[in-house]
Structures are given as C-alpha cells and as structure tokens.
Amino acid sequence: MQTAEVVVIDYGVGNLLSVRRGLERCGAQVTITADHQAILAAPRVVLPGVGAFADAMAELRSRNLIDVLKELPARGTPLLGICLGMQILLDESEEFGMSSGLGLIQGRVTPIDRTTLTGEPHKIPHIGWNGLIYGEMTEDWHGTILQQLTPGNEVYFVHSYSAHPVDPQTRLADCIYNGRVISAVIRSGKVYGCQFHPEKSADFGLALYRNFLSWKP
C-alpha cells in the first residue's frame, strides 16, 4: 500500500504534534510547513487550529497564507480544517467582535448558546465526548470522509463557538449538546471541516483520518 502524503499547515496556531502523530498512526507521510509551494503542491492539506478566530486569521495573514489556502479548492486539493481550523473556513466569526474568515464555506461562527434548550445554564466551553448524528439534510455519509462510519459514535470536542453554514446540505454531521444542535463535520466540494479533534477521538477519529488520506472525490 502506497504511503499517503499530507501537508499540515504551520501558522503558529495549532496542536501540530498531536495532529501529526494521529496522521502518522494512519500511515501518512506528514510534512509540517508554511512554505507556499509545498502547500500548493500537496496532494492533501490539513489546517489545524486552537485559540481565537481573529488571532488565527492574523497569523495566516502575516505569513501570506490566505491566498494560498483560497487557491487550494481551485486546484482540486482536498483540505481538512480541524477545530478552529474548521471555523476559519467560513466567512466570518462573532468571536471578540466580527472577524473575516477564509470564505471557503459560506456561513458564520457564533457563540454556543449559554443555556440548554429548556433555558437552564450549562457549561461553556463544550468539552468532552459527544455522539455524532446525520446533518439535517444528510441521509448517509457515502463518498465522504465519514464513509463506512456509523452515527452514534462519540468524538472529543473542546470549543465555545459553533459554525453555522448557510447551506444546510453542507452539514454532514452534527451533535446535540443539551438540546443545542452543533455542526460537527461540514463540507463544500473538497473542503472539509471537523469541529472535534480526530486525533483525540479514538478509533472513530483515526478512521476519519484514514478516509481523508485515501479519499478520491
């Protein structure tokens, strides 16, 4: 079996070591870089991220990476954003005031509601294991990075803000946090976003990585 090559973007915001280890456990040859040509030449790209939306965009901007990332869909390069890396794929975020994102998937990032569906306060950030369900307009995961995986499996979340794509068909998978629906996996063409951390989500998360590494859209 041929080793899958993947570039993980290093822009000073992200848990690079754990992402690398997770991908390598799935047989990937991982390059961590901010080099423009290496990113554009990559067969697939991962955009990790932790922290604040505006800070992440500022780091990308300081490295002149925004136009590079925007070019990937036109090249047909599969791109996977993880956690904050998923959120910055969208148009904008309300975190600490309005900030512009990459605009690769139409939508906005907003705070998770601070109450349950019945109006009771609950913990923010949303931290811990939560089971996935199909998105509202999704009937199956065939042909996606979730193919051959099963709803109900639990994955690990750490976040205070949630992505809201404009097109509901973009939402491949959601989870329910005390009655509140949260986007867990989103997709537009070959651009994917994953709100949870696959490398911290046991066998399900590693299976998602394997699908991404072998995925041929």
Side-chain angles (χ1 to χ4, degrees):
M1 178 174 156
Q2 189 174 6
T3 301
E5 297 180 11
V6 59
V7 161
V8 176
I9 297 181
D10 180 6
Y11 61 113
V13 180
N15 49 338
L16 298 178
L17 183 58
S18 60
V19 170
R20 178 175 196 155
R21 286 175 175 169
L23 289 165
E24 288 178 341
R25 285 185 64 186
C26 299
Q29 179 182 325
V30 181
T31 300
I32 297 177
T33 185
D35 180 78
H36 295 187
Q37 293 307 312
I39 295 167
L40 291 173
R44 55 189 62 79
V45 175
V46 172
L47 178 65
V50 294
F53 189 104
D55 291 343
M57 289 301 298
E59 293 292 345
L60 289 174
R61 193 173 297 109
S62 72
R63 292 164 173 80
N64 297 314
L65 285 169
I66 291 178
D67 287 342
V68 174
L69 284 165
K70 289 184 175 182
E71 189 173 336
L72 293 178
R75 288 174 173 252
T77 305
L79 170 64
L80 174 62
I82 299 172
C83 196
L84 178 62
M86 162 177 155
Q87 295 179 5
I88 61 178
L89 297 175
L90 274 66
D91 294 315
E92 57 192 6
S93 172
E94 296 179 5
E95 186 176 11
F96 303 124
M98 196 65 71
S99 301
S100 296
L102 294 170
L104 299 181
I105 296 178
Q106 285 189 295
R108 176 180 287 187
V109 178
T110 66
I112 298 173
D113 288 282
R114 293 193 167 273
T115 61
T116 69
L117 206 58
T118 57
E120 299 171 353
H122 64 169
K123 291 182 179 179
I124 303 293
H126 169 215
I127 300 177
W129 296 84
N130 206 326
L132 296 186
I133 60 174
Y134 287 132
E136 180 184 357
M137 304 291 290
T138 300
E139 296 181 355
D140 64 68
W141 291 331
H142 179 71
T144 75
I145 60 170
L146 294 175
Q147 63 186 0
Q148 299 180 335
L149 299 177
T150 306
N153 280 276
E154 293 192 339
V155 292
Y156 191 77
F157 292 87
V158 183
H159 64 122
S160 300
Y161 285 74
S162 179
H164 296 272
V166 171
D167 183 355
Q169 294 187 2
T170 301
R171 299 172 74 140
L172 282 183
D174 292 333
C175 74
I176 306 296
Y177 181 48
N178 294 329
R180 301 296 185 182
V181 180
I182 291 172
S183 298
V185 181
I186 59 177
R187 174 196 181 184
S188 179
K190 298 179 183 179
V191 178
Y192 278 90
C194 178
Q195 182 62 70
F196 57 89
H197 291 273
E199 69 280 358
K200 297 180 180 179
S201 298
D203 291 343
F204 187 97
L206 294 179
L208 181 149
Y209 272 161
R210 290 190 189 98
N211 282 340
F212 178 69
L213 293 170
S214 62
W215 182 55
K216 295 181 177 61

